Amino acid sequence: MIRVLLAEDQAMVRGALTALLSLESDIEVLGSAADGESAWRELQRLKPDVLVTDIEMPGLTGLEIAQRVHRHELPIKVVIVTTFARPGFLRRALDAGVSGYLLKDAPAENLAESLRLVHRGGRAIDPQLALEAWSEADPLNDRERQVLRLAGEGQSASDIGTQLNLSHGTVRNYLSEAIGKLGAANRIEAYRLARQKGWL
């Protein structure tokens, strides 16, 4: 049996994925979570073989959970199922050690087959996206990405500094670097561009 935990913040999608996977004789859905923090707790409690997660969720994102799984060397495969057909997201997912990256508009039967492939030690990546992912590298480092994300959410440099334990000047430097690397006119344009590319 392939033991699966689902992490998805939209209740209808979560229910549909649970129902879909429950039809498979060799897949057992152990539980589900509606946000990143509960997914992380359930992951440690239930110890599934595979975590199927969305990227954008309240609390921790699917990518952040994948990074934690990787960092803690947990024997759990992570498969991301998302609407984000962005090469930048795929590159970050692969860097975080995910075993699968599937799009929500793919045929339903692809999911169970992909889970079997991943469980056997393979990788399941949307082929078109895989080609695009290597065409343009993400220029941002982790700190620039964090600062730019918070700035794009409307936080001031002082608020960002407090949240990330950085000085006001350091926050401004990170923002300036990110804006320069992206060739943007200001922080809002840089945020929009980085989101569009899947780098945030």
Side-chain angles (χ1 to χ4, degrees):
M1 285 296 272
I2 304 171
R3 300 159 66 255
V4 172
L5 173 67
L6 291 172
E8 163 64 60
D9 62 330
Q10 295 179 338
M12 192 178 285
V13 177
R14 197 168 59 246
L17 286 173
T18 302
L20 184 71
L21 291 176
S22 298
L23 297 173
E24 304 294 330
S25 58
D26 58 342
I27 296 175
E28 180 190 1
V29 178
L30 300 178
S32 64
D35 64 74
E37 290 293 351
S38 359
W40 177 245
R41 285 194 301 273
E42 288 297 277
L43 203 65
Q44 294 169 91
R45 187 176 73 82
L46 298 171
K47 297 179 174 52
D49 300 313
V50 182
L51 167 69
V52 174
T53 180
D54 194 0
I55 286 185
E56 294 273 298
M57 289 187 296
L60 294 169
T61 68
L63 290 176
E64 288 166 338
I65 296 171
Q67 286 165 342
R68 280 193 186 182
V69 167
H70 191 58
R71 198 168 51 244
H72 290 267
E73 298 180 351
L74 300 178
I76 296 167
K77 310 280 188 190
V78 179
V79 173
I80 287 179
V81 178
T82 182
T83 54
F84 294 115
R86 297 179 191 159
F89 273 128
L90 174 57
R91 284 183 74 118
R92 286 173 52 212
L94 293 174
D95 289 344
V98 304
S99 300
Y101 194 101
L102 309 170
L103 299 177
K104 284 181 180 172
D105 62 0
E109 58 273 13
N110 286 15
L111 179 58
E113 277 313 312
S114 296
L115 292 185
R116 291 182 186 106
L117 175 60
V118 161
H119 189 248
R120 289 193 304 267
R123 273 220 164 127
I125 309 292
D126 182 88
Q128 185 54 44
L129 206 52
L131 285 174
E132 291 173 26
W134 305 111
S135 62
E136 193 174 3
D138 179 355
L140 302 174
N141 65 35
D142 283 342
R143 237 351 165 194
E144 290 161 354
R145 196 177 294 116
Q146 277 181 314
V147 167
L148 188 58
R149 182 184 294 126
L150 294 171
E153 289 168 2
Q155 294 198 33
S156 70
S158 301
D159 293 340
I160 295 168
T162 304
Q163 194 168 333
L164 299 178
N165 278 333
L166 299 171
S167 73
H168 185 271
T170 304
V171 170
R172 292 181 67 84
N173 287 345
Y174 279 128
L175 279 173
S176 170
E177 282 292 312
I179 291 165
K181 284 179 177 180
L182 295 169
N186 54 47
R187 63 175 70 180
I188 300 306
E189 189 183 317
Y191 173 79
R192 194 176 44 71
L193 185 64
R195 290 276 303 171
Q196 198 177 333
K197 298 278 190 183
W199 296 333
L200 281 186

